[in-house]
Amino acid sequence: MELQDMLIVELEHEVALTEKFLKRIPKDKLEWRPHQKSMSLKQLGSHLAEIPSWVTGTMVQDEMIMDDYKPPITESVDEMVKVLKSSAEEAKKALKVPNSKFDKHWKMIQGGKTVMEMPKHQVLRGMVLIQLPHHRAQLGVFLLLLDQSLPATYGPSADEQ
């Protein structure tokens, strides 16, 4: 089996679920946050939308210097969904490589020091793709606090039975 086939199917599934959650963000609550230390809905939604671009970054680069990283911020739910879909399409293209490319090592560097180094397939599964359900669950809590309904994800939700 080609790793790209498995990863593309997983990415498509996670992106479709994430899109459903993003579309539940109340357009008039983008600056809302449940706590001063929390991201705002705009920041969290923007972060979810950009995560597929990390797949592309992992595959086309061999290292990322975190000192230079600035999280992109979108200004509307529609823009979040657009960024999510376009970054997912780019990610799928980046994944269309032979299995041997997934064994190449990738590094995360901060302050001139390597803070993580592992094969790209481990970065994708253990660090990147897992971010979608992680932050989607965080968004789900935010939505519940705002009395918004939650879409079904891996099974029915209390709101969609």
Side-chain angles (χ1 to χ4, degrees), residues 3-154:
L3 286 174
Q4 64 173 282
D5 298 330
M6 178 184 68
L7 292 169
I8 289 171
V9 168
E10 182 178 350
L11 176 67
E12 288 173 336
H13 179 72
E14 293 299 329
V15 165
L17 293 174
T18 301
E19 181 180 351
K20 292 190 328 185
F21 273 74
L22 290 176
K23 287 180 175 179
R24 302 283 174 107
I25 295 174
K27 293 173 176 38
D28 63 337
K29 300 277 190 207
L30 291 175
E31 298 302 328
W32 182 87
R33 65 185 73 220
H35 187 274
Q36 64 186 10
K37 293 180 182 177
S38 300
M39 286 188 270
S40 68
L41 280 171
K42 183 194 298 188
Q43 290 168 313
L44 182 55
S46 297
H47 180 56
L48 274 161
E50 76 156 322
I51 289 172
S53 71
W54 295 10
V55 171
T56 305
T58 301
M59 295 309 296
V60 302
Q61 301 171 173
D62 294 333
E63 63 184 37
M64 180 174 182
I65 299 171
M66 294 303 293
D67 303 333
D68 300 336
Y69 174 73
K70 300 280 186 262
I73 300 295
T74 52
E75 296 301 322
S76 70
V77 171
D78 290 340
E79 190 180 346
M80 289 172 198
V81 171
K82 183 179 176 182
V83 169
L84 176 72
K85 288 180 172 184
S86 65
S87 63
E89 286 305 312
E90 290 301 313
K92 287 192 284 187
K93 290 176 191 172
L95 289 170
K96 292 184 179 180
V97 297
N99 278 356
S100 61
K101 298 285 184 185
F102 292 99
D103 289 329
K104 190 167 185 177
H105 273 237
W106 184 90
K107 292 181 191 181
M108 179 184 289
I109 300 168
Q110 190 159 20
K113 296 181 180 176
T114 298
V115 294
M116 181 189 76
E117 181 177 356
M118 61 181 72
K120 290 184 178 196
H121 67 86
Q122 287 181 319
V123 173
L124 292 170
R125 289 287 299 120
M127 299 291 295
V128 175
L129 292 175
I130 197 70
Q131 292 292 312
L132 286 167
H134 168 75
H135 288 295
R136 196 171 57 235
Q138 184 181 8
L139 176 57
V141 172
F142 284 27
L143 294 173
L144 285 174
L145 290 170
L146 291 170
D147 292 323
Q148 301 297 308
S149 64
L150 294 185
T153 50
Y154 303 115

